[in-house]
Every structure is written in structure tokens, then in C-alpha cells.
């Protein structure tokens, strides 16, 4: 029997608010330690997703939820039949919803601390959101449901909960901005360390300790994020790879598949505008 191919589809629901819906089918990759720049609220629809974070592994089964914060270092492995839907939400929108909750009770300091949720009601609510946006796209009703859902998750957290991911120190934060700004350039470790006024050895150790991933992995993740946008346009893969600082198309394809679970060509096929 021929195995069905993997498929990854990403819908931008609101550029202004920073909301995306991510639909993955039969994504079989093993994803090494990495981070995201947004909050992820995910529903496993088939199979099992194993998430390893802080030396603990969470096995998220069908109709169970997972939640990851920006910069929360984790790794994932999935069963071969794994299918999932994820709501990606910008930190700015989350902060707005937090502020609204704090206005109602200033003694609370709401934040997310859980990764794995086993709550049938929460799972069904998220499934309803995905069903709605699949049929109708983004709407005022869908936005209201998303905001209400996130507020509900915040209410599930203990009132004394503390942030899981601390803010990086200035030297690391500035380096992240430098890497994003210059992602199209060839950036050897020595050049990146120089802008931080550190030796390559000390810089690599500091960055990896604070971020949980190496400067190279951080840079490649940003390049792949930029590639996602370019792949929606009619631009040859060779031009995409060169414009983003990859050595060649083969290098680009290898890194993209490693981080996204599908090849650039397969991604373009399901996400072209």
C-alpha cells in the first residue's frame, strides 16, 4: 500500500492581529530542539504527538490539546498517521487579553504554564473554531471565539502562576534583532559574535544557554519563516534559496523540510495564493 504524502497548510487569518491557522496531515518528522515566536494552541486530531520540554515528555493523544509559548524550547516526535490543527497567536494579542483580565482583578497575574491539556470541552471548543475558519475564513465571529477561548485557558491557570520563559538579556535580544535584519547575508559565527563584542566561543555559549538553541538554528528558523511567504509567490526555488542566504537550493530544501516537515515544493503546492 502506498503511503499518503504529508501535507501542511497555513492560513493567515489576520496579519494585523498576528493569527494563523496551521493544518498538518501525516507529518512524520522528528523535530529537534526549537522555539517559536508565537503562542501555539494545538489539537491532535489523529495519532500521537510527543513533546519534550524541560526534560519531561508529554504524549498528546487524539482530541487532546497542547500549548506552547514563544521561545519555549521543545522537541517533537509524531506517529506516522499524525494529523493536527494549530492556532498561532501573536504575543501582542495575548498581552491585550491578559491586560483585559487584569483590569477585572488586579490581584491576578495570569500566564500560561501548562503544555498538555486533557479537557474534552476545551478540545471541542478549539475544534469548533477550526471548523468555522475552514468553512468561512476569518470573521468577527471567529475572532470573538478565539479571544474567548484564550481567555478561558487563562482562567484555567493558577492565580500564582509565573512565566515559564523569561525575557532574554539585552545582548541576546540585540543579537536576535541583528540576525533577523541580516538574514539574507552569509553570517559566520565570528561576524555575529563581533557585533556582540564577544569571542565566538563565549558568544555561542551565552546565546545557546539563554535561548536554548544555537545562533545558527535561530537564524535558520527565521529564514524558513521568510521562505514561507516567498513560496506563496511564483518565484523559482533557486531564487528563494539565494535571496535568504542559503548556500544553494539543496541546502534550502534540506533545512526547510527539517523544520517544517514537508519539502518547499510540497508546501508551495498547498499554500500558493
Amino acid at each position: 500500500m502506498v503511503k499518503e504524502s504529508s501535507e501542511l497548510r497555513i492560513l493567515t487569518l489576520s496579519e494585523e492581529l498576528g493569527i494563523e491557522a496551521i493544518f498538518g496531515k501525516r507529518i512524520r518528522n522528528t523535530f529537534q530542539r526549537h522555539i517559536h515566536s508565537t503562542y501555539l494552541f494545538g489539537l491532535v486530531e489523529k495519532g500521537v504527538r510527543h513533546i519534550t520540554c524541560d526534560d519531561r515528555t508529554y504524549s498528546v493523544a487524539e482530541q487532546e490539546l497542547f500549548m506552547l509559548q514563544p521561545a519555549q524550547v521543545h522537541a517533537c516526535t509524531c506517529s506516522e498517521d499524525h494529523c493536527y490543527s494549530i492556532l498561532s497567536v501573536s504575543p501582542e494579542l495575548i498581552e491585550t487579553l491578559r491586560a483585559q483580565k487584569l483590569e477585572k482583578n488586579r490581584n491576578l497575574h495570569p500566564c500560561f504554564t501548562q503544555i498538555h491539556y486533557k479537557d474534552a470541552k476545551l478540545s471541542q471548543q478549539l475544534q469548533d473554531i477550526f471548523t468555522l475558519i475552514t468553512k468561512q475564513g476569518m470573521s468577527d465571529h471567529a475572532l470573538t471565539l478565539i479571544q474567548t477561548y484564550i481567555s478561558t485557558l487563562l482562567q484555567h491557570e493558577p492565580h500564582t502562576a509565573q512565566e515559564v520563559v523569561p525575557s532574554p538579556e539585552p545582548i541576546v535580544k540585540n543579537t536576535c534583532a541583528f540576525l533577523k535584519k541580516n538574514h539574507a547575508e552569509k553570517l559566520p559565527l565570528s561576524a555575529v559574535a563581533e557585533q556582540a563584542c564577544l569571542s565566538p566561543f563565549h558568544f555561542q555559549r551565552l546565546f545557546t544557554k539563554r535561548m536554548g538553541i544555537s545562533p545558527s538554528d535561530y537564524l535558520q528558523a527565521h529564514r524558513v519563516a521568510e521562505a514561507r511567504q516567498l513560496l506563496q509567490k511564483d518565484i523559482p526555488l533557486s531564487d528563494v534559496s539565494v535571496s535568504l542566504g542559503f548556500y544553494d537550493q539543496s541546502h534550502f530544501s534540506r533545512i526547510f523540510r527539517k523544520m517544517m516537515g514537508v519539502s518547499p515544493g510540497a508546501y508551495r503546492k498547498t499554500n500558493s495564493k
Side-chain angles (χ1 to χ4, degrees):
M1 181 180 295
V2 178
K3 290 184 178 180
E4 294 184 87
S5 60
S6 301
E7 181 180 311
L8 182 66
R9 185 163 60 100
I10 301 179
L11 301 178
T12 299
L13 303 176
S14 173
E15 290 188 10
E16 179 182 359
L17 297 175
I19 305 175
E20 291 183 330
I22 305 168
F23 303 98
K25 294 183 178 180
R26 300 171 296 279
I27 303 296
R28 308 178 182 96
N29 266 36
T30 294
F31 297 96
Q32 303 298 329
R33 287 165 58 88
H34 63 285
I35 59 176
H36 299 279
S37 61
T38 61
Y39 287 85
L40 301 184
F41 304 92
L43 174 67
V44 173
E45 297 177 345
K46 189 175 182 181
V48 181
R49 173 181 288 236
H50 305 285
I51 302 173
T52 300
C53 183
D54 293 330
D55 298 322
R56 179 178 176 183
T57 298
Y58 305 84
S59 295
V60 188
E62 292 183 21
Q63 297 306 307
E64 293 180 354
L65 305 172
F66 60 90
M67 199 287 294
L68 293 163
Q69 300 188 67
Q72 188 168 21
V73 182
H74 63 285
C76 297
T77 58
C78 312
S79 60
E80 285 202 0
D81 58 346
H82 180 52
C83 297
Y84 61 87
S85 297
I86 294 175
L87 195 64
S88 171
V89 181
S90 69
E92 291 76 15
L93 179 56
I94 297 296
E95 289 305 316
T96 298
L97 295 175
R98 279 177 171 163
Q100 292 173 355
K101 185 175 181 182
L102 285 171
E103 283 183 2
K104 297 179 180 179
N105 189 339
R106 294 188 178 277
N107 292 322
L108 300 183
H109 298 282
C111 60
F112 298 109
T113 57
Q114 298 184 66
I115 291 178
H116 186 189
Y117 294 78
K118 297 181 180 180
D119 187 307
K121 184 176 180 180
L122 288 175
S123 294
Q124 186 58 55
Q125 288 174 346
L126 189 56
Q127 183 65 72
D128 291 343
I129 291 173
F130 289 128
T131 299
L132 178 64
I133 60 181
T134 298
K135 292 180 178 179
Q136 302 179 8
M138 193 58 161
S139 63
D140 290 342
H141 180 47
L143 178 58
T144 298
L145 289 180
I146 291 171
Q147 292 174 324
T148 300
Y149 185 78
I150 295 171
S151 296
T152 299
L153 284 179
L154 283 170
Q155 292 170 5
H156 276 67
E157 295 292 340
H159 296 171
T160 57
Q162 299 296 316
E163 289 289 359
V164 173
V165 183
S167 299
E169 57 195 69
I171 190 171
V172 174
K173 189 174 182 179
N174 291 339
T175 296
C176 291
F178 174 82
L179 292 172
K180 289 181 178 180
K181 181 179 179 180
N182 298 281
H183 68 267
E185 305 296 327
K186 298 294 190 295
L187 293 173
L189 179 61
S190 57
V192 183
E194 183 178 356
Q195 64 81 37
C197 299
L198 293 172
S199 70
F201 173 79
H202 286 95
F203 168 73
Q204 172 101 344
R205 186 171 64 176
L206 173 65
F207 189 96
T208 303
K209 181 179 180 180
R210 295 293 186 268
M211 296 298 292
I213 59 174
S214 69
S216 175
D217 286 343
Y218 183 90
L219 175 60
Q220 300 294 39
H222 181 70
R223 285 172 170 167
V224 167
E226 293 293 315
R228 281 178 40 204
Q229 307 304 316
L230 296 179
L231 288 172
Q232 296 181 35
K233 305 174 183 178
D234 188 21
I235 303 174
L237 293 182
S238 57
D239 291 348
V240 173
S241 61
V242 172
S243 69
L244 293 175
F246 292 100
Y247 293 116
D248 51 35
Q249 184 176 331
S250 176
H251 180 224
F252 166 53
S253 296
R254 185 171 67 255
I255 296 298
F256 191 93
R257 179 185 287 275
K258 175 183 176 182
M259 293 191 170
M260 299 299 293
V262 296
S263 69
Y267 182 86
R268 166 171 279 173
K269 184 177 180 180
T270 54
N271 291 276
S272 295
K273 290 185 176 180

